[in-house]
């Protein structure tokens, strides 16, 4: 097996998933302001270092997605952030897109930018220790959106990004996120996600991507957050699995879901249900940002010095999500807040 195929497998090995700690400074500032903490480079590092040095990293976090600022920071022990992550047996990764911008030609929608100069940035990140990367495309759902233009242009960018990343000997995480904002029902999310995934794999194929050396980071199939109809976890799992089976080539080794605004428990429960019925070769795992960090961030903000408390909460969430990758989670386990 070649090196990138091996890395992809390690990132989502059974019991493990990915910690998405790649919030840009703008997003991190929003997150810190929500808990009344000033957003400085030092505070952003303090919170992240607290998570990256928690015990839960060892058994449940196969990879951490970093932001440009973080991958270049030194921790309190003098190690670089990638060195700290590696010391826990986890793989450092890096977000390489430069954000979703207004799509010319369909200005209500977004196109993800960051291809210019990417080859050079990738070489720098590799030297800093990164072994995988992430690029996120976003799609809105309404009666007329997403447009064919948004679907095609974002898929094209994801494929060009993936080709450059594999050339640089790293694993590309391909993240096409269909947002859950809106009144649409679960069937509409299913249809839109199917079209998006079809186009992505058409472009990835055209760009000669080795799919065995990639990870897909999709949304789950959910009703819109303002939908009149709600669906239970079993229905969500069934629809999500069907959509992925129909649209993702079987060479892809792992699928690591984003949480996309689900609560921590919803994200864990839905992944657990997906794994209960998973009859594919895909390793179904997580790449959560908010659903791994929300409670830990609140605790940290209450008492920045109480590192143990914050780590205990993060360890618990990591463990719960780790269990859901083998369908071994249940609600009773949420009561045992142990490391
Ligand atoms: C961690 O948040 C990432 C977005 O940061 P920016 O919007 O500041 O670039 C995001 O890409 C994240 O990795 C995924 O959306 C998954 O995060 P959630 O919170 O949806 O699990």
């Amino acid at each position: 097996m070649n090196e990138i195929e091996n890395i992809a497998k390690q990132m989502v090995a059974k019991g493990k998933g990915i910690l998405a700690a790649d919030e840009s400074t703008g997003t991190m500032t929003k997150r810190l302001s929500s808990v009344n903490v000033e957003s400085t480079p030092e505070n952003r590092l303090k919170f992240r270092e607290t998570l990256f040095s928690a015990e839960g990293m060892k058994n449940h976090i196969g990879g951490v997605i970093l932001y440009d600022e973080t991958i270049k920071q030194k921790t309190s022990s003098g190690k670089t952030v990638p060195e700290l992550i590696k010391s826990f047996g986890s793989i450092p990764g890096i977000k390489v897109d430069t954000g979703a911008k207004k799509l010319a030609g369909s200005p209500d929608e977004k196109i993800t930018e960051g291809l210019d100069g990417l080859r050079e940035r990738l070489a720098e990140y590799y030297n800093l220790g990164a072994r995988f990367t992430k690029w996120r495309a976003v799609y809105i759902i309404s009666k007329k959106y997403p447009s064919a233009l948004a679907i095609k242009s974002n898929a094209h960018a994801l494929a060009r990004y993936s080709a450059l990343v594999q050339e640089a000997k790293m694993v590309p995480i391909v993240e096409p996120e269909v947002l859950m904002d809106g009144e649409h029902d679960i069937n509409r999310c299913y249809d839109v996600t199917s079209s998006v995934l079809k186009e992505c794999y058409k472009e990835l194929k055209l760009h000669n991507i080795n799919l065995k050396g990639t990870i897909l980071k999709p949304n789950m199939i959910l009703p819109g957050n303002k939908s009149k109809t709600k669906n239970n976890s079993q229905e969500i799992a069934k629809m999500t699995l069907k959509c992925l089976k129909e649209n993702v080539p079987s060479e892809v080794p792992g699928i690591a879901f984003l949480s996309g605004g689900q609560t921590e428990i919803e994200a864990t429960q839905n992944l657990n249900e997906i794994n209960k019925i998973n009859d594919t070769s895909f390793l179904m795992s997580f790449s959560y940002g908010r659903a791994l960090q929300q409670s830990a961030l609140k605790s940290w903000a209450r008492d920045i010095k109480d590192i143990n408390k914050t780590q205990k909460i993060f360890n618990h969430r990591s463990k719960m999500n780790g269990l859901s990758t083998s369908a071994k989670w249940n609600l009773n386990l949420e009561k045992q807040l142990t490391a």
Side-chain angles (χ1 to χ4, degrees):
M1 193 188 302
N2 76 26
E3 203 177 327
I4 58 168
E5 294 174 11
N6 200 14
I7 293 169
K9 286 211 164 145
Q10 284 177 48
M11 287 159 65
V12 290
K14 265 279 172 264
K16 291 192 178 188
I18 297 165
L19 166 62
D22 60 312
E23 297 87 353
S24 55
T25 303
T27 303
M28 201 55 194
T29 300
K30 270 190 228 150
R31 302 264 192 274
L32 291 175
S33 309
S34 76
V35 291
N36 300 316
V37 174
E38 193 191 351
S39 182
T40 60
E42 294 72 30
N43 283 343
R44 292 193 284 273
L45 176 64
K46 260 187 205 155
F47 176 62
R48 286 167 164 157
E49 187 178 340
T50 303
L51 303 188
F52 303 163
S53 48
E55 274 301 301
M57 288 282 298
K58 279 189 190 152
N59 296 323
H60 309 300
I61 305 295
V64 180
I65 317 174
L66 300 169
Y67 179 58
D68 181 75
E69 174 184 79
T70 327
I71 200 171
K72 295 169 180 164
Q73 283 175 319
K74 276 229 165 84
T75 62
S76 53
S77 68
K79 283 185 178 136
T80 65
V81 169
E83 281 165 357
L84 174 66
I85 292 168
K86 277 193 266 177
S87 72
F88 280 86
S90 186
I91 305 172
I94 179 80
K95 183 233 296 288
V96 299
D97 66 67
T98 54
K101 309 281 162 62
K102 205 201 281 181
L103 174 62
S106 184
D108 293 337
E109 298 184 280
K110 297 269 170 68
I111 176 75
T112 302
E113 295 188 349
L115 289 169
D116 288 350
L118 181 55
R119 181 176 271 129
E120 292 71 27
R121 287 195 292 124
L122 289 172
E124 186 194 357
Y125 289 139
Y126 187 95
N127 288 334
L128 288 167
R131 290 297 177 268
F132 72 92
T133 66
K134 193 201 86 172
W135 179 288
R136 171 173 172 253
V138 289
Y139 308 85
I140 51 171
I141 298 189
S142 69
K143 282 210 174 89
K144 61 190 257 215
Y145 296 130
S147 65
L149 174 64
I151 293 176
K152 277 182 186 293
S153 50
N154 275 299
H156 179 77
L158 276 165
R160 285 189 57 198
Y161 140 80
S162 300
L164 284 161
V165 172
Q166 290 196 335
E167 180 192 89
K169 306 208 178 325
M170 290 185 279
V171 171
I173 294 185
V174 174
E175 182 181 4
E177 176 174 6
V178 177
L179 297 174
M180 66 150 88
D181 306 336
E183 295 175 356
H184 56 273
D185 65 8
I186 196 167
N187 295 312
R188 175 90 173 119
C189 177
Y190 175 91
D191 290 340
V192 169
T193 306
S194 294
S195 311
V196 163
L197 291 174
K198 270 195 184 73
E199 192 61 30
C200 284
Y201 284 103
K202 191 175 136 199
E203 284 289 328
L204 288 170
K205 209 171 160 209
L206 185 68
H207 286 76
N208 301 318
I209 305 304
N210 170 11
L211 293 180
K212 289 183 185 167
T214 66
I215 297 286
L216 174 68
K217 174 165 174 169
N219 51 284
M220 292 180 192
I221 305 300
L222 302 165
N225 56 5
K226 295 192 194 105
S227 172
K228 287 188 196 98
T229 50
K230 299 281 169 236
N231 299 88
N232 62 33
S233 235
Q234 286 79 10
E235 290 162 336
I236 290 165
K238 215 171 133 193
M239 295 283 272
T240 302
L241 189 65
K242 183 168 161 21
C243 185
L244 295 169
K245 269 164 107 169
E246 285 172 0
N247 297 295
V248 183
S250 59
E251 298 99 288
V252 173
I255 297 183
F257 294 96
L258 57 92
S259 56
Q262 299 177 69
T263 64
E264 291 178 344
I265 305 282
E266 279 166 354
T268 306
Q269 182 168 17
N270 288 337
L271 179 59
N272 194 63
E273 289 302 322
I274 291 169
N275 275 307
K276 272 189 194 166
I277 58 167
N278 182 15
D279 56 356
T280 68
S281 60
F282 303 131
L283 289 158
M284 298 282 200
S285 183
F286 56 91
S287 175
Y288 295 157
R290 286 163 286 179
L292 269 172
Q293 299 183 68
Q294 243 157 31
S295 299
L297 179 64
K298 279 188 195 146
S299 158
W300 179 77
R302 273 194 295 272
D303 185 356
I304 289 181
K305 291 201 191 88
D306 196 347
I307 287 174
N308 283 340
K309 177 96 187 286
T310 302
Q311 290 187 332
K312 205 169 165 186
I313 292 170
F314 175 71
N315 290 340
H316 176 74
R317 248 344 330 117
S318 305
K319 185 174 171 188
M320 294 299 104
N321 285 309
L323 288 171
S324 74
T325 66
S326 316
K328 287 185 183 143
W329 173 90
N330 66 64
L331 200 52
N332 287 330
L333 296 170
E334 291 292 343
K335 292 173 200 142
Q336 314 162 1
L337 200 58
T338 51

